[in-house]
Amino acid sequence: NSEPTVSADIDNLTAIKQINTTLSESVDKQILGLKKSEYSDSDCGVRLATRDHLPLVGPVPDMQFYRQNFSQVIQSGRLKGCPAAQYVPGLYVNTAHGSRGVTASILSGRLISSLISGRVYPLTSSLFQALHPARFFVRDQLK
């Protein structure tokens, strides 16, 4: 359910009070004593995040190819002779920025633009790998 509720509003306001004592008095005076009809309606949204808190940015991997060609290679640690990764043609992802979307999406957009146009990446290779959409597949294979 993505609709805001009065109980969710109260839970959020109570959490604010617990986090910041300076805000606590202000919250009590300005909001908690009011009826729902006396303050503006609230909205809610979902911010997608990954388990490592980094966004997914880059070409969408062909997961069937990854499973067939990389599972044993990754587990063995021998990357020599490994085929070049394959991706879904023309499909890129720029998601899971969490609360940093406004700032991180700009650089991520530049990265995708450079991938499409063949220009130099606007970030280091290690950072590109840290954002790569197939990173969780690789990590799961190493377990």
Side-chain angles (χ1 to χ4, degrees):
N1 184 7
S2 63
E3 292 297 316
T5 63
V6 173
S7 63
D9 287 343
I10 291 171
D11 289 346
N12 287 333
L13 296 169
T14 303
I16 290 170
K17 288 175 58 176
Q18 292 172 351
I19 293 169
N20 188 321
T21 55
T22 305
L23 284 177
S24 177
E25 289 179 29
S26 177
V27 168
D28 279 340
K29 289 177 185 174
Q30 295 180 20
I31 299 175
L32 289 180
L34 301 176
K35 295 177 188 163
K36 174 76 172 165
S37 62
E38 295 176 305
Y39 64 94
S40 64
D41 285 335
S42 55
D43 291 318
C44 63
V46 177
R47 291 181 177 164
L48 181 62
T50 61
R51 62 183 182 232
D52 65 2
H53 305 287
L54 293 173
L56 298 170
V57 182
V60 173
D62 177 340
M63 293 312 296
Q64 181 177 353
F65 177 85
Y66 267 69
R67 283 186 206 94
Q68 289 175 349
N69 293 281
F70 293 145
S71 293
Q72 293 176 346
V73 171
I74 292 168
Q75 290 171 359
S76 71
R78 289 176 281 161
L79 299 177
K80 275 192 172 180
C82 187
Q86 290 187 8
Y87 301 94
V88 178
L91 186 59
Y92 297 83
V93 65
N94 184 4
T95 189
H97 291 274
S99 62
R100 297 179 187 93
V102 171
T103 55
S105 62
I106 296 167
L107 183 58
S108 300
R110 290 184 69 198
L111 171 61
I112 290 175
S113 173
S114 69
L115 291 167
I116 292 169
S117 66
R119 291 184 306 217
V120 176
Y121 302 160
L123 40 91
T124 65
S125 178
S126 62
L127 183 53
F128 174 61
Q129 291 172 5
L131 303 175
H132 197 279
R135 69 183 183 269
F136 293 110
F137 171 80
V138 172
R139 289 176 191 168
D140 290 346
Q141 299 306 304
L142 293 170
K143 290 182 181 178

